[in-house]
């Protein structure tokens, strides 16, 4: 089976839940953000899965408002939980 990889960078609560700032993740070619989210939840467990449901995603610096966005091989996905401010 052919694979590709993306760099996943975690921020704030996502970093705490994943236990890492970043990791290289192997995915199937033409995977989507939704497929990556499921893969990461399976890999890291329920704590990260809960956080991922509330996150925003950037794919190579561009907001992925639709989780059907395809991942570029060798690209970067930033996982951004909602931020509180005041």
């Amino acid at each position: 089976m052919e694979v590709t990889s993306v760099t996943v960078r975690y921020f704030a609560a996502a970093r705490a839940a994943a236990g890492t700032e970043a990791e290289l993740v192997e995915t199937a070619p033409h995977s989507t953000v939704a497929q990556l989210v499921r893969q990461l939840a399976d890999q890291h467990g329920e704590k990260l899965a809960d956080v991922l449901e509330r996150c925003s995603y950037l794919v190579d610096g561009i907001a992925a408002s639709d989780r059907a966005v395809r991942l570029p091989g060798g690209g970067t996905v930033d996982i951004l939980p909602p931020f509180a401010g005041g």
Side-chain angles (χ1 to χ4, degrees):
M1 180 173 124
E2 192 177 334
V3 296
T4 189
S5 59
V6 294
T7 299
V8 177
R9 298 189 303 185
Y10 299 96
F11 294 87
R15 180 183 323 143
T20 187
E21 286 185 19
E23 64 182 322
L24 191 62
V25 177
E26 289 187 347
T27 63
H30 310 293
S31 289
T32 64
V33 170
Q35 290 167 316
L36 176 65
V37 168
R38 280 192 300 273
Q39 181 178 342
L40 294 172
D42 289 346
Q43 179 179 332
H44 290 282
E46 188 175 326
K47 186 174 180 182
L48 182 60
D50 290 343
V51 173
L52 292 175
E53 288 304 313
R54 299 185 309 270
C55 289
S56 299
Y57 299 89
L58 299 178
V59 177
D60 285 343
I62 298 171
S65 55
D66 181 352
R67 289 191 183 184
V69 170
R70 297 217 181 268
L71 303 174
T76 300
V77 177
D78 293 326
I79 300 180
L80 308 166
F83 294 96

